[in-house]
Amino acid sequence: MASTQLKLKHFLCEQDWTNEELETVMDLAAELKRQVGLEIPHEICKNKTLFMLFFEESTRTRNAFECGITQLGGHANYLTPKATQIDHGEGPKDTVEVLSRYGHAIGIRNTLVGGYKYMKAMVQHAKIPVYNMQCDIYHPTQSLADLFTIREKFGKDLRGRKFVISWTYGPGYIRPLSMAQSLVTLMPRFGMDVTLAHPPEFTLMPEIMKQAEENARDAGVKFEVVHNMEEACKDADIIYAKSWGPIMHTEDEKEGLAIIDRYKDKGWVCDMKKFEVAKPKAIYMHCMPADRGIEVTDEVIDGPMSVIYDEAENRLHVQKALMALTMR
Ligand code: CP
């Protein structure tokens, strides 16, 4: 059943929303996607303003929200700490109290340690809904678009489907845990068996693992952890392969990068070998940006198993649905 009680609801974390509420967003996303295809205008948020506060760079999240609010008849303000008084020390209370007087929702990207805490501080004082555009713990607009994409490919009944989220070797910088953490907690709730694969140093936050186990138990599905990517991919329906940092193992960046480098050429890449052991119609997913030739071979990312561009497009439809249902 659809939920009509979503006005002003914050979206910081998937777990704060019931399955029914998330279904409502996905149903509306499907309807808005159909309307885009038919070129039917849908100015549900006419004259409304979305503030987008980015502490870091973005291609998909920013542009999906910005194009999305335009299609809904509203406007987006792109903000950074430097472009506001945040860099001069203005705190979350004063920032959000003021922005609440002007606009109708605010999204924040802050993936540094403390990013989620910053968003929670905003929520305490916000008179408008606050959206998590990715933090250090969760990336809920991406995970919901991923679930929406999986349902487009396999249908809504996902019982018996095996979802693999695997670490891949990704050098150069420490990527946040948020993507993997959002996926392991969300996917079991919608009926998938989830396998998490990573080398020993790349564990997720203990409270997230507990939540994922609880969600799997409640849904009557499996949740397992393995330390071998090929083993994880056996009989998989979905292979979601991306890198994250050894953040639970060390806070030291240099040490973290050295740990990542231990796994170069050790099989932590999404190549055809993984699809040879997966189910015949298995799909490849990645939230992007993907390190081509490092995290994934061209044969896979450009192959028939890859759904990455549908997945990226669905950010637009899902985020539009979120705004249409929650904006003040
Ligand atoms: N997947 C994702 O969040 O992409 P951006 O970093 O480009 O927003």
Side-chain angles (χ1 to χ4, degrees), residues 57-61 109 134 139 142 168 170 173 175-176 179 240-243 284-292 295-296 301 308-309 311-312 315:
E57 62 285 355
S58 160
T59 298
R60 281 142 289 271
T61 309
R109 166 165 291 192
Q134 189 177 16
H139 194 357
Q142 177 71 54
T168 52
Y173 67 102
R175 294 152 181 84
M179 195 64 258
Y240 201 122
K242 86 163 297 293
S243 191
Y284 164 75
M285 299 184 80
H286 193 296
C287 55
M288 301 174 81
D291 273 346
R292 282 172 171 266
E295 282 190 286
V296 55
I301 198 167
I308 57 164
Y309 300 127
E311 188 183 353
R315 299 291 303 278

Side-chain angles (χ1 to χ4, degrees), residues 143-188:
S143 65
L144 193 55
D146 293 337
L147 176 60
F148 181 85
T149 307
I150 292 168
R151 285 155 59 116
E152 283 185 333
K153 304 298 172 192
F154 293 108
K156 285 186 184 175
D157 181 6
L158 295 168
R159 293 253 149 213
R161 297 283 178 190
K162 180 176 175 182
F163 178 92
V164 175
I165 167 70
S166 176
W167 184 84
T168 52
Y169 169 67
Y173 67 102
I174 306 285
R175 294 152 181 84
L177 303 174
S178 47
M179 195 64 258
Q181 299 200 143
S182 271
L183 293 170
V184 295
T185 47
L186 180 66
M187 297 311 172

Side-chain angles (χ1 to χ4, degrees), residues 43 134 159 218 230 269 282:
E43 297 194 333
Q134 189 177 16
R159 293 253 149 213
D218 289 351
E230 201 165 320
V269 57

Side-chain angles (χ1 to χ4, degrees), residues 116 132 135-139 177-179 181-182 205 208:
Y116 184 63
N132 180 349
C135 69
D136 48 336
I137 305 180
Y138 307 105
H139 194 357
L177 303 174
S178 47
M179 195 64 258
Q181 299 200 143
S182 271
M205 294 167 69
I208 293 292

Side-chain angles (χ1 to χ4, degrees), residues 11-12 108 116 119 130-135 138-141:
F11 190 49
L12 291 198
I108 304 157
Y116 184 63
M119 292 178 195
V130 179
Y131 309 139
N132 180 349
M133 291 177 165
Q134 189 177 16
C135 69
Y138 307 105
H139 194 357
T141 59

